[in-house]
């Protein structure tokens, strides 16, 4: 069953893939001393609770619904240290990435697991980050049993985007298709898919789009479905910025910067477009995010020779989506 | 968590959807007295163990690996009655369909759950079949707590094919697509997808194909990937059977009967074909099984106006597949 529990932690983490930028996506499952599942959680957003802290909170809530947890990660951490009542004594944790051992925006997760008396911690991937690593060693010194490399390959896949943007830049191509491969129509995807896309837009450094799409679709390109920060936009065009109709909605988004060349500081870029844009940029992409609805229609499909390898597939409303690499 | 466990049972059952014909697809999850997951199982094939019996076997194996279980469902049932050592005393079962209460090809599951001392049984859908029903009432009379209608809508979706073929006939259309919606190429789907399709072929009453496909593709249309019974074939053609080249491999499959009209006795029919065949028969289909690989290519897509509602989506190797209704 240990693979099953780690897979639950991995799947939960994938739901927040890209949204944790610049942090890695991490999932955590906690079992009580009798191996009953207490929680399945993930890190959801940079600055908020790590996966372990979220999972511990959910586990405690599951055991005692009257807990009134503070919201801020730092306060939550200290509240739990003070009020855990040994409820998680001899519990087991499955974490997709080695628990951190350093004081970042939140205090070290390894210390929390030790203080609460966890018996065993399963880890999919060792943390190679020099600042945060050492969590497993710390746990072992506190007498906690640690087992490494459980579903290690799957754990490494989950970390790929993080390792890319940490070392330089990460480029994601977003494509929305019908079940028979056409990209036409203004709203192709389910509301759940578009919400995920807007969440990604709210955390990226730059949204990259083609001049052709902008003239034709006159888009807004903001993050309205999650009421969050709209991304800066880089328009790939041979013409000047002045040549665009300034009434196209995207130009009126407050605090938005418009670029015509990708700035070097941009580390997480999402490319959005159709067939031509995909043809031009596919070879420099790190990942592809493809939403697909449940309708066949009579329109032409996107025609391009592209063999993708699935990293993860999931469902959003009536859509399927896949995160692929070349 | 109770929804989570029932969802696990439902997902496991969907893996064997269609393969249990003429029986319904049923899943079962068992937790021990401390709510640790002991097994996640399903009914896999008519004549073999029901979901509950399979799940009980797996749970006992999980607790005592030295059990040497007999293979035949009937023997297995009696072996467990004799040798269970109260290991599942106070266990909980999640079953997607009310446990049967009658002696069919296998003895009643309700009796087995009671004899083993289960504490609680969650049921998604009540069995409306007059012969097999009454299981829940029996359990309650034995002092076992029963909770009905857990994820009832999902449970009903799972049962739809069964209710259809039980009441008359069930028609399934199988389509294999690339990620951009083309149906061309001899091998479109992953080996895992083709294996599932061959498993379905081995249980159906009739495989229905178009004359055009047969002349062009010269297929074998057997169940070689699972080394099982090849289906009888009904060829939908305006021409006579004599007009086909008798060297087309499908005509040489031993024990195969060839029809040109669908016989009334055929209750489970699978239609296989491409765009034209789909256009001709889509309106009389009960379900659509669509496999989709992870490749985009430069070929034309299947063009047809068809809004589908997903009943289940899953993964087979690098393919996605969906089971849809109109």
């Amino acid at each position: 069953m240990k693979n099953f529990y780690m897979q639950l932690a991995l799947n939960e983490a994938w739901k927040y893939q890209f949204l944790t930028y610049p942090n890695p996506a991490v999932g955590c499952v906690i079992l009580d001393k009798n191996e009953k599942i207490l929680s399945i959680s993930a890190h959801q957003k940079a600055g908020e609770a790590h996966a372990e802290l979220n999972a511990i909170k959910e586990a405690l809530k599951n055991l005692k619904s009257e807990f009134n947890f503070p919201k801020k990660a730092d306060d939550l951490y200290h509240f739990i240290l003070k009020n855990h009542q040994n409820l998680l004594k001899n519990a087991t944790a499955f974490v997709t990435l080695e628990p951190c051992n350093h004081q970042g925006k939140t205090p070290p997760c390894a210390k929390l697991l030790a203080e609460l008396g966890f018996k065993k911690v399963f880890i999919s991937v060792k943390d190679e980050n020099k600042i945060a690593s050492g969590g497993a060693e710390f746990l072992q010194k506190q007498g906690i049993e640690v087992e490494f490399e459980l579903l290690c390959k799957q754990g490494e896949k989950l970390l790929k985007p993080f390792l890319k943007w940490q070392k330089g830049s990460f480029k994601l191509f977003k494509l929305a298709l019908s079940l028979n491969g056409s990209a036409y129509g203004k709203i192709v995807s389910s509301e759940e898919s578009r919400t995920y896309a807007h969440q990604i837009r709210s955390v990226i450094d730059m949204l990259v789009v083609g001049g052709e799409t902008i003239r034709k679709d006159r888009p807004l390109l903001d993050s309205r479905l999650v009421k969050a920060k709209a991304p800066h936009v880089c328009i790939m065009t041979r013409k000047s910025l002045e040549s665009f109709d300034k009434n196209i909605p995207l130009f009126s988004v407050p605090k938005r910067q418009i670029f015509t060349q990708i700035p070097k500081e941009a580390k997480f870029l999402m490319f959005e477009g159709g067939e031509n844009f995909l043809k031009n940029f596919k070879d420099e992409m790190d990942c592809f995010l493809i939403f697909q609805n449940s309708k066949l229609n009579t329109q032409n499909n996107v025609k391009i020779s592209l063999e993708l390898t699935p990293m993860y597939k999931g469902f959003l409303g009536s859509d399927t989506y896949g995160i692929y690499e070349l």
Side-chain angles (χ1 to χ4, degrees), chain A residues 55-231:
Chain A
I56 286 168
K57 183 186 84 175
E58 289 305 318
L60 290 172
K61 199 193 275 177
N62 195 330
L63 292 168
K64 277 210 162 178
S65 57
E66 58 269 39
F67 273 120
N68 193 358
F69 294 106
K71 286 204 173 149
K72 274 186 61 189
D74 204 45
D75 299 341
L76 177 62
Y77 186 101
H78 294 290
F79 177 91
I80 289 172
L81 267 189
K82 215 189 259 177
N83 298 289
H84 63 81
Q85 303 165 45
N86 288 316
L87 287 167
L88 294 178
K89 185 94 188 146
N90 289 323
T92 299
F94 294 80
V95 200
T96 62
L97 178 65
E98 184 179 357
C100 71
N101 197 31
H102 83 310
Q103 174 73 41
K105 285 184 185 171
T106 48
C109 291
K111 194 186 153 203
L112 187 64
L113 291 163
E115 291 276 339
L116 268 61
F118 275 73
K119 188 175 73 182
K120 185 157 185 177
V121 176
F122 289 88
I123 296 169
S124 176
V125 180
K126 228 177 132 47
D127 192 349
E128 302 295 349
N129 180 319
K130 273 174 202 149
I131 304 163
S133 68
E137 207 183 321
F138 174 85
L139 289 170
Q140 285 168 323
K141 276 189 188 154
Q142 307 293 313
I144 296 166
E145 200 184 335
V146 177
E147 188 174 323
F148 289 101
E149 299 201 341
L150 187 60
L151 302 186
C152 183
K153 278 189 183 162
Q154 285 95 314
E156 282 168 357
K157 255 189 229 168
L158 176 67
L159 280 182
K160 271 192 181 180
F162 167 70
L163 295 175
K164 274 281 181 184
W165 64 54
Q166 208 189 25
K167 281 182 192 154
S169 73
F170 176 74
K171 292 176 178 173
L172 175 68
F173 199 102
K174 192 214 94 175
L175 185 68
L177 297 175
S178 68
L179 190 51
N180 63 332
S182 87
Y184 300 97
K186 247 212 148 166
I187 294 177
V188 175
S189 306
S190 69
E191 180 157 351
E192 292 85 345
S193 293
R194 286 181 292 131
T195 298
Y196 181 44
H198 282 209
Q199 283 178 305
I200 300 174
R201 282 184 184 168
S202 77
V203 301
I204 55 177
D205 295 320
M206 190 68 58
L207 182 66
V208 188
V209 287
E212 193 192 337
T213 304
I214 287 177
R215 284 181 220 277
K216 212 180 60 192
D217 292 353
R218 302 178 66 87
L220 182 53
L221 299 177
D222 67 355
S223 309
R224 60 197 173 280
L225 289 175
V226 291
K227 296 194 176 82
K229 184 181 142 281

